[in-house]
Amino acid sequence: MKILILNGPNLNLLGKREKSIYGSRSFEDYFEKDLLPAFPDLELEYFQSNVEGILIDKLQEVGYHYQGIVFNAGAYTHTSLALMDTIAAIETPVVEVHISNVYAREAARHVTYIGGRAVGSISGFGLESYRLALQYFERLKPSKVGFNYKKA
Ligand code: DQA
């Protein structure tokens, strides 16, 4: 099962940016030491960009043949109709994740353009939000009757 973890703007600065909110670990460290060993049965890939169009290109590239996408769109979550349209267009299911609890922060962060087109949203569990999203995909077994990787 091929799963893409896609991070948007400023998430390349994890471990350096606002540590009281986002923690002191880089995503690469968490990915290599925690996520890869925790999900040996998933084919995990990680990609990050600060550029909205590059995120759209990546979603389009994998969105018709990967089985899942775990997407933290960073601040584009709260602004991007274009990313919302891409998630609606592709067939691969997307789980929205946030490290911080966006609903406990400024009002502007309560709006998400990603959430309405995602299968579900996970927000506020620190880096473990990604693990929870991957658990969702891991438990979807291809053999399960009626299961369909594609969105309904
Ligand atoms: C974030 C929350 C967003 O509001 C913020 O712009 C980010 C990170 C999170 O993971 O908590 O860059 O997506």
Side-chain angles (χ1 to χ4, degrees), residues 127-147:
L127 285 172
E128 291 298 275
S129 294
Y130 293 89
R131 185 196 296 266
L132 294 169
L134 290 171
Q135 280 172 358
Y136 165 73
F137 286 117
E138 190 186 37
R139 286 178 188 173
L140 297 178
K141 295 276 183 267
S143 56
K144 201 169 149 189
V145 176
F147 173 71

Side-chain angles (χ1 to χ4, degrees), residues 11-96:
L11 292 162
N12 56 318
L13 297 180
L14 288 178
K16 294 181 197 150
R17 80 182 276 216
E18 298 180 278
K19 290 185 190 172
S20 59
I21 300 173
Y22 299 112
S24 51
R25 251 179 119 177
S26 71
F27 191 79
E28 287 78 1
D29 186 62
Y30 177 67
F31 181 71
E32 279 159 31
K33 298 194 180 133
D34 290 46
L35 293 183
L36 287 179
F39 297 97
D41 296 335
L42 299 180
E43 242 182 284
L44 296 181
E45 185 183 312
Y46 167 58
F47 184 82
Q48 188 276 334
S49 177
N50 293 321
V51 180
E52 190 176 21
I54 294 176
L55 294 168
I56 291 169
D57 284 347
K58 193 71 184 173
L59 288 166
Q60 291 185 6
E61 179 192 317
V62 308
Y64 294 89
H65 60 285
Y66 279 32
Q67 283 72 48
I69 299 170
V70 174
F71 189 21
N72 185 347
Y76 288 141
T77 303
H78 319 298
T79 62
S80 181
L81 270 173
L83 282 167
M84 178 173 111
D85 285 351
T86 310
I87 294 166
I90 61 177
E91 291 180 350
T92 302
V94 173
V95 173
E96 175 187 29

Side-chain angles (χ1 to χ4, degrees), residues 9-11 17 22 72-75 77-78 97-100 102 105 109:
N10 299 309
L11 292 162
R17 80 182 276 216
Y22 299 112
N72 185 347
T77 303
H78 319 298
V97 301
H98 298 288
I99 297 163
S100 63
V102 290
R105 301 182 65 192
R109 293 185 208 271

